[in-house]
């Protein structure tokens, strides 16, 4: 007797968006994570730039006395010494860290990026000031304010404001002394002149190229290196997982799944890191070509800049691979916070670290973007001087690379010993 033919099993009904939207659990995780990310990003980014003047503390500025004139009658020091001593002693508000230096020392610190500007009392200052109350006055006395655009447009501007204000205050104090010494017989014209007798002249203390973005190319070039390492590391990680059959590849309506290649976590990380080292050669070379050859960015020491760019981007890329290997699916989010979200406001490349809240100054001691930007700035603007930040940057790149290798392989070795094998995606 023939058995009855089996009836086809009814297909499961297709889910609809309208039904799924009524599930609270579907909303919970995306809503919480998106809200937290928006809140954190707002607080972190805006918190570092909202009010630099309010947060400003101890901005390094040189003060120089080149005046060699004799002290005025009845005084022990010439006016240059009096002015610079008064400025250096003024700690009101703590906005400036005045460094009393010789002219040569000040220029060296401008050229190495150790100071954001300088205030210089020139030679003959005392003679030109005392001559104002006599018929022998031939020129108006001056105080020179030197800027350092290599420290960034905002940092140089803040230093310029502080030094200019200090110079005008010194001029008014000198004017009061001259007015008192001149007596009541002084003409109204001379009295007006003596109210603010010193002219403040602003000059560039350490020039940079016209194609340097007003001192911002160092920041944007550093950002490009970090993004090259960050995005390259994630692209390589996802590409390797797809090629080995541990992730699906979906482009538009096309979906592919490759056969799974048996491989443990440690060997997978080694593969990704070796590929990162190779592909980063191309990405950093293209960054350099685009910025210098195509866009004309001012850059000297090109071989050094290329080597530094490669090492910097590679350190970031290896860090991304280590974090992804340790944290899995949320690794990209973790590495985004480590290298970008926390790195940008604590880099000191746009807003001086002396003008950001203490939390960002704390982060700047180890956040990668600050370490890398110091080296780029030294190469682009300060003749690749080691004491301009380049030596410290090389050391931090080496430390970051070692930490990435140790952390990444320690975590994958632990997972392999514990038997945490990678799972193969399965269809529903």
């Amino acid at each position: 007797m023939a058995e009855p033919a089996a009836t086809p099993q009814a297909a499961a009904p297709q889910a609809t968006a309208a039904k799924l939207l009524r599930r609270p659990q579907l909303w919970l995780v995306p809503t919480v994570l998106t809200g937290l990310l928006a809140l954190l990003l707002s607080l972190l980014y805006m918190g570092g730039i909202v009010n630099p003047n309010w947060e400003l503390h101890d901005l390094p500025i040189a003060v120089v006395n080149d005046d060699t004139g004799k002290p005025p009658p009845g005084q022990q020091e010439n006016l240059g010494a009096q002015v610079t001593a008064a400025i250096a002693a003024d700690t009101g508000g703590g906005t400036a860290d005045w460094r009393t230096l010789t002219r040569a020392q000040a220029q060296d610190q401008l050229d190495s990026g150790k100071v954001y500007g300088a205030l210089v009392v020139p030679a003959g200052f005392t003679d030109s000031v005392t001559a104002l109350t006599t018929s022998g006055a031939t020129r108006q006395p001056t105080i020179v304010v030197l800027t350092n655009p290599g420290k960034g447009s905002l940092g140089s501007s803040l230093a310029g404001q502080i030094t200019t204000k200090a110079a005008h205050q010194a001029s008014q104090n000198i004017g009061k002394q001259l007015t008192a010494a001149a007596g009541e017989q002084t003409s109204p014209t001379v009295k007006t002149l003596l109210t603010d007798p010193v002219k403040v002249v602003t000059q560039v203390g350490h020039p940079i190229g016209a194609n340097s973005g007003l001192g911002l190319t160092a920041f944007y070039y550093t950002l490009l290196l970090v993004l090259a390492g960050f995005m390259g590391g994630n692209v390589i990680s996802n590409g390797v997982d797809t090629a080995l059959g541990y992730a699906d590849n979906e482009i538009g309506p096309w979906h592919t799944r490759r056969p799974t290649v048996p491989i443990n976590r440690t060997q997978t990380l080694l593969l990704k890191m070796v590929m990162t080292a190779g592909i980063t050669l191309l990405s950093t070379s293209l960054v350099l070509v685009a910025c210098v050859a195509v866009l004309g960015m001012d850059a000297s020491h090109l071989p050094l800049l290329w080597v530094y760019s490669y090492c910097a981007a590679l350190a970031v890329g290896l860090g991304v691979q280590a974090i992804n290997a340790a944290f899995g699916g949320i690794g990209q989010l973790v590495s985004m916070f480590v290298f970008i979200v926390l790195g940008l406001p604590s880099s000191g490349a746009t807003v001086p670290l002396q003008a950001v809240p203490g939390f960002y100054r704390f982060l700047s001691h180890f956040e990668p973007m600050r370490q890398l930007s110091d080296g780029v700035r030294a190469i682009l603007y300060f003749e690749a001087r080691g004491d301009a930040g380049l030596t410290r940057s090389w050391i931090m790149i080496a430390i970051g690379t070692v930490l990435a290798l140790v952390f990444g392989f320690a975590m994958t070795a632990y997972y392999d010993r514990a038997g945490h094998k990678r799972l193969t995606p399965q269809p529903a």
Side-chain angles (χ1 to χ4, degrees):
M1 184 175 178
E3 294 181 0
T7 58
Q9 192 173 19
Q14 288 281 334
T16 64
K19 291 182 179 179
L20 294 176
L21 286 173
R22 291 194 290 269
R23 294 185 179 181
Q25 64 270 28
L26 190 66
W27 288 81
L28 181 61
V29 174
T31 302
V32 171
L33 288 180
T34 302
L36 284 176
L37 284 174
L39 178 62
L40 285 174
L41 288 174
S42 301
L43 292 175
L44 289 171
Y45 284 150
M46 297 303 293
I49 65 168
V50 168
N51 195 343
N53 287 299
W54 175 262
E55 301 291 345
L56 185 60
H57 296 286
D58 298 329
L59 192 71
I61 302 174
V63 56
V64 178
N65 176 30
D66 272 348
D67 186 14
T68 56
K70 295 181 179 180
Q75 300 184 32
Q76 296 181 347
E77 294 180 318
N78 62 27
L79 293 178
Q82 295 178 34
V83 167
T84 54
I87 291 174
D90 182 13
T91 58
T95 56
D97 173 20
W98 296 106
R99 300 180 179 181
T100 303
L101 306 171
T102 66
R103 186 67 179 85
Q105 291 171 335
Q107 189 60 55
D108 182 70
Q109 294 209 6
L110 286 167
D111 293 340
S112 61
K114 290 185 172 66
V115 294
Y116 283 80
L119 185 148
V120 180
V121 178
F125 180 75
T126 298
D127 296 336
S128 62
V129 169
T130 54
L132 289 176
T133 57
T134 69
S135 58
T138 57
R139 58 189 175 87
Q140 185 178 10
T142 61
I143 290 179
V144 180
V145 169
L146 299 178
T147 62
N148 194 353
K151 295 294 288 181
S153 55
L154 180 58
S156 182
S157 174
L158 288 172
Q161 293 173 22
I162 293 172
T163 49
T164 300
K165 181 180 178 180
H168 281 303
Q169 183 64 48
S171 175
Q172 292 170 6
N173 291 338
I174 291 173
K176 292 177 182 178
Q177 296 176 20
L178 294 176
T179 301
E184 296 297 330
Q185 305 301 320
T186 308
S187 67
T189 303
V190 174
K191 283 186 177 180
T192 302
L193 173 63
L194 296 183
T195 301
D196 192 3
V198 180
K199 180 181 180 182
V200 180
V201 177
T202 301
Q203 299 175 357
V204 177
H206 178 78
I208 59 176
N211 292 341
S212 297
L214 300 177
L216 288 175
T217 51
F219 165 70
Y220 284 102
Y221 189 84
T222 303
L223 181 59
L224 288 172
L225 297 181
V226 173
L227 290 175
F230 173 77
M231 294 190 299
N234 282 312
V235 169
I236 292 168
S237 181
N238 293 333
V240 169
D241 287 344
T242 299
L244 298 182
Y246 290 93
D248 291 356
N249 183 30
E250 188 173 359
I251 302 177
W254 295 280
H255 172 267
T256 58
R257 177 178 297 150
R258 295 180 179 274
T260 302
V261 177
I263 186 172
N264 64 24
R265 294 176 181 270
T266 300
Q267 290 299 310
T268 302
L269 178 60
L270 177 61
L271 172 64
K272 291 177 179 180
M273 285 191 167
V274 171
M275 291 182 64
T276 299
I279 295 174
T280 301
L281 281 170
L282 173 64
S283 59
T284 52
S285 298
L286 292 176
V287 168
L288 188 63
V289 168
C291 292
V292 178
V294 178
L295 299 176
M297 181 185 77
D298 286 323
S300 56
H301 309 283
L302 287 178
L304 174 62
L305 181 60
W306 180 81
V307 173
Y308 181 88
S309 300
Y310 172 71
C311 294
L314 177 60
V316 174
L318 296 180
V320 168
Q321 301 296 7
I323 290 173
N324 286 347
F327 292 94
I330 65 169
Q332 293 185 13
L333 187 61
V334 174
S335 60
M336 183 183 75
F337 267 85
V338 171
F339 293 106
I340 297 177
V341 174
L342 296 177
L344 283 172
S346 63
S347 67
T350 52
V351 180
L353 292 174
Q354 294 83 0
V356 297
F359 171 69
Y360 299 95
R361 289 196 292 273
F362 167 74
L363 290 177
S364 71
H365 292 296
F366 51 84
E367 265 298 316
M369 192 170 290
R370 187 275 172 101
Q371 324 309 327
L372 302 184
S373 65
D374 282 354
V376 172
R377 189 186 298 278
I379 295 173
L380 292 183
Y381 305 148
F382 299 116
E383 295 300 324
R385 291 179 52 161
D387 59 350
L390 184 56
T391 298
R392 183 178 185 277
S393 293
W394 278 121
I395 293 173
M396 297 305 290
I397 287 174
I399 292 175
T401 300
V402 171
L403 287 177
L405 294 173
V406 171
F407 175 68
F409 285 112
M411 293 303 297
T412 55
Y414 166 73
Y415 292 153
D416 287 336
R417 287 197 305 270
H420 298 301
K421 296 182 179 180
R422 302 196 71 189
L423 300 179
T424 304
Q426 297 293 331

